Every structure is written in C-alpha cells, then in structure tokens.
Amino acid sequence: MKHFKAFAALLVLAACGQGQESALRRPDVARPIIPYTIDFAADERVVQAVGTARARLAATVRPETAGFVESVLYTPGAFVEEGTPILALEADEERLAVRLAKVSVQEAEQLLARYRRIENTGAVSDSAIDEAKTQLQAAQIALEQAELRLRERTVGAPFAGFLGLTDVDPGSRIDQTTAIAALDDRRVLYIDFAVPEDAFGALTAGSEVEAIPFSSGAEPRIAKIVTVDSRVDPESRAFTARAALDNSDDRLRPGMSFEVRFAIKGRNYPLVPEASIVWGANGAYVWAVRQGRATEVPVNIVSRQEGSVLVDAKLERGAIVVAEGVQKVREGTAVVYDDSIGVAGPGLDALD
C-alpha cells in the first residue's frame, strides 16, 4: 500500500511539471516579471601603485665653515622657523675681526670728514679727498666681510620645518662636510609613484587619488596630483606622477610607503541587474522585452558593480530587460508587469 501511494505521488508531481513546462512553451500565456529600464554607465578600471613620500622641502643642514661647536641651539624633533639659529661655532676671532673693521671704518670716516672741512681752503688736493673716499669704501667692505664671516659661525635653518636627530655635540670639530641635522617641511608630503603607460592622460594637475599608508592603523587620505613627469620610461613603460598630501596633523612621515589608487573611466556600456543575467549553452544572455514579448539578447560581461553588471550587448538606453522572473520566460513569451512586486530600474516608460 505504501509503495502504491508513493508511486501515485510521483505521477502527480510529474503531471504538474509537465503542465508547467507546457505552459512555458505557450508564448501567448503572459508571464509576470519585474522589468528594468536600461541605462548606460562608464566602465572603470582601478589602477593601483606604490609610492614613497617625501617632504615638500627637505635638506641636510651643514655648516658653511669649519670650527669647534660652541653650542647646539635646538631640540631634535622641534619645529623651527626660517633663519632660526640651530648651532653656534666658536667665533672669538671673528668677533675681534668685526671690532677691528669697525675701527678702520671710523678712522676712514674721520679722515674724510677733516678733508671735507678744509676742502675749500686749498690745503688739501682733490686727489687726497678721492683717496680718502676710497679708503672709507675699502674699510666698509672689510667690515661687511668680517660680519659675514661672523654670521657663518652660526648655522640657521634655511626654511621652516622639523629638525631631526643630530650626532654633533658641543666641543666637536666640524667642517663643511659634516651633516648637522635633517630639516623637513612635512606639513605637506609629496608622494611619487609609477603609473602604467596606458593610463597616461588620466592624471592631470588637480586630479584626486586615494593614498593609503602601509603603516598600521593609518586611514586612507585624498591627495591631489601636482605634476606628472614629462616622459615615459622606455624600460618600465611607466611614468612618474607626484601627488601632494596634506599632513597638517603631522601623523605621517617622509619616507613612508603608500598604496595609491585611482580610477580610469573607459567606454559606456549598458548597465543591467546581476539577477537578469542568464547562462545558456552559448554563454550569457538577458531577456529583453520588445513589443510585450521576451527576446534573448546575448551579452558579454565587462565588469560588475555592486549588484549590477556592465555588459557589451545590443541594448539601447531605455530598453527593457527582465530583472526578475527570467526563469518564467522563453523566446517569444508574452510578459506583463507584476504590480504586486514593484518596479525595478529607472522606470517603465518604454513599456507604454
């Protein structure tokens, strides 16, 4: 008895399946579907590169002259303004030279002043007055030279920035080759990165890119392209682009590595819901609705975008495809919009 009931149930299921298949084969039986109005969107390719940051201004500070260090005038890591003294060399001889030069200038001024007072009396010749002028000019130049040599005994910051560590201590003897400290204006960082040749023209001054530091816990930031190199490297087939990144919060450092991302827009393609794609023996296709009936349109998938798919297909803007209910239709099946489900896509104007 149990076997008979099971056999009867199978007969019923088979009959139902044949009935459904038979109904699908009848094109005049309208099938409810959710339509989608085709729109076009640009294909985007994301380019990824690795870049290295450098400070907007960077320099290794060195003395202009040799001598013994009298004092180090800064704290490593401190921010200094342009011209701030950071190191002083012993300068006793230079200070004495300035004093002596000032005396020479004073003497030359006094001599010329005496000559001027008696110039009209004939007691002094014009040539003597000219010689006194020359002596004064020479004394003034000597004073400027002495003052210059004295200024060279103090090393100042060439621009505003942050000073790094130093290995120079008071009492050390240094010369023009000695590196006192690194100076970086890191309030703005420049990120240089290589861009593939096929992306040439996609980046111009002012273009925005996403810069993601490799350091742990760092958040992505937006950087703006400053310039691109004037040529493509014939070996790597890439060119260098430079982006400026605001670092006013001082959380990043020169020398850090960044992943740089930007999108390149390509051709415009029809955009369809992912659920509308059907796979058959000949590949992917969608059901387009034309004159109220389903028509198979082959598609080639270009890219996927969050539930939607860009396809290369013979579909025009405003065309209607079956968004849901693809399993209910066959070639030539009549379709109707199912009011109980809702509208998919921008609208149904094309169905009117």
Side-chain angles (χ1 to χ4, degrees), residues 21 24-25 287 294-295 326-334:
E21 181 65 24
L24 287 174
R25 290 176 180 173
W287 291 113
T295 300
V326 293
Q327 74 280 1
K328 302 176 183 178
V329 298
R330 295 294 184 270
E331 182 69 32
T333 298

Side-chain angles (χ1 to χ4, degrees), residues 7-18:
F7 179 71
L10 289 174
L11 290 177
V12 172
L13 290 174
C16 292
Q18 291 175 357

Side-chain angles (χ1 to χ4, degrees), residues 3-351:
H3 293 292
F4 176 76
K5 290 181 178 180
F7 179 71
L10 289 174
L11 290 177
V12 172
L13 290 174
C16 292
Q18 291 175 357
Q20 292 176 353
E21 181 65 24
S22 176
L24 287 174
R25 290 176 180 173
R26 289 180 293 173
D28 294 333
V29 177
R31 295 293 167 185
I33 56 97
I34 296 180
Y36 180 88
T37 305
I38 292 294
D39 199 1
F40 276 59
D43 178 34
E44 288 189 347
R45 177 168 66 94
V46 177
V47 178
Q48 295 178 307
V50 175
T52 302
R54 53 153 293 181
R56 184 180 67 90
L57 294 174
T60 299
V61 182
R62 303 178 191 274
E64 296 185 57
T65 184
F68 289 97
V69 176
E70 185 174 77
S71 59
V72 177
L73 305 174
Y74 79 97
T75 302
F79 180 85
V80 295
E81 296 291 348
E82 180 179 354
T84 301
I86 62 176
L87 182 140
L89 296 173
E90 292 181 354
D92 293 339
E93 292 184 5
E94 287 72 17
R95 282 189 283 268
L96 289 173
V98 169
R99 291 174 58 187
L100 182 60
K102 287 180 179 180
V103 170
S104 297
V105 169
Q106 186 178 7
E107 289 179 347
E109 289 175 342
Q110 292 173 348
L111 177 61
L112 180 60
R114 285 196 300 269
Y115 285 172
R116 288 296 189 189
R117 286 194 297 269
I118 60 175
E119 181 178 4
N120 296 327
T121 64
V124 61
S125 64
D126 292 339
S127 60
I129 294 176
D130 291 339
E131 185 178 353
K133 290 179 181 179
T134 302
Q135 291 177 355
L136 175 59
Q137 291 175 351
Q140 290 172 336
I141 292 173
L143 174 60
E144 291 178 3
Q145 291 175 332
E147 290 175 338
L148 176 61
R149 287 191 291 270
L150 178 60
R151 287 196 299 271
E152 290 176 347
R153 307 303 285 179
T154 300
V155 181
F159 53 82
F162 294 88
L163 284 161
L165 299 174
T166 182
D167 293 328
V168 176
D169 298 313
S172 303
R173 180 172 175 78
I174 61 176
D175 56 28
Q176 294 89 333
T177 64
T178 305
I180 298 173
L183 178 65
D184 295 315
D185 183 359
R186 60 176 185 250
R187 292 171 293 183
V188 173
L189 296 180
Y190 286 154
I191 303 175
D192 292 351
F193 58 98
V195 183
E197 179 182 5
D198 61 356
F200 190 83
L203 294 177
T204 57
S207 300
E208 293 187 347
V209 297
E210 186 179 45
I212 307 171
F214 282 116
S215 57
S216 60
E219 298 179 353
R221 300 195 180 197
I222 299 299
K224 289 189 176 182
I225 298 297
V226 177
T227 186
V228 296
D229 204 352
S230 58
R231 62 177 60 183
V232 176
D233 189 320
E235 295 184 2
S236 64
R237 310 313 310 174
F239 63 96
T240 300
R242 174 170 293 175
L245 178 64
D246 178 43
N247 189 39
S248 54
D249 59 2
D250 200 37
R251 297 182 62 183
L252 303 172
R253 293 291 182 270
M256 281 185 169
S257 298
F258 290 78
E259 179 184 355
V260 181
R261 297 177 183 174
F262 62 94
I264 300 178
K265 288 189 176 182
R267 290 175 49 196
N268 286 331
Y269 292 95
L271 183 67
V272 302
E274 192 169 10
S276 68
I277 302 293
V278 183
W279 292 90
N282 296 323
Y285 62 91
V286 296
W287 291 113
V289 179
R290 294 171 179 169
Q291 297 180 349
R293 294 184 179 275
T295 300
E296 181 180 318
V297 178
V299 300
N300 291 319
I301 295 177
V302 177
S303 63
R304 300 179 184 273
Q305 300 179 357
E306 297 182 0
S308 299
V309 182
L310 286 177
V311 296
D312 188 3
K314 294 181 178 180
L315 294 169
E316 298 180 353
R317 190 185 304 274
I320 302 297
V321 297
V322 178
E324 291 188 25
V326 293
Q327 74 280 1
K328 302 176 183 178
V329 298
R330 295 294 184 270
E331 182 69 32
T333 298
V335 298
V336 294
Y337 166 53
D338 189 346
D339 292 319
S340 65
I341 302 176
V343 180
L348 291 174
D349 297 339
L351 288 177

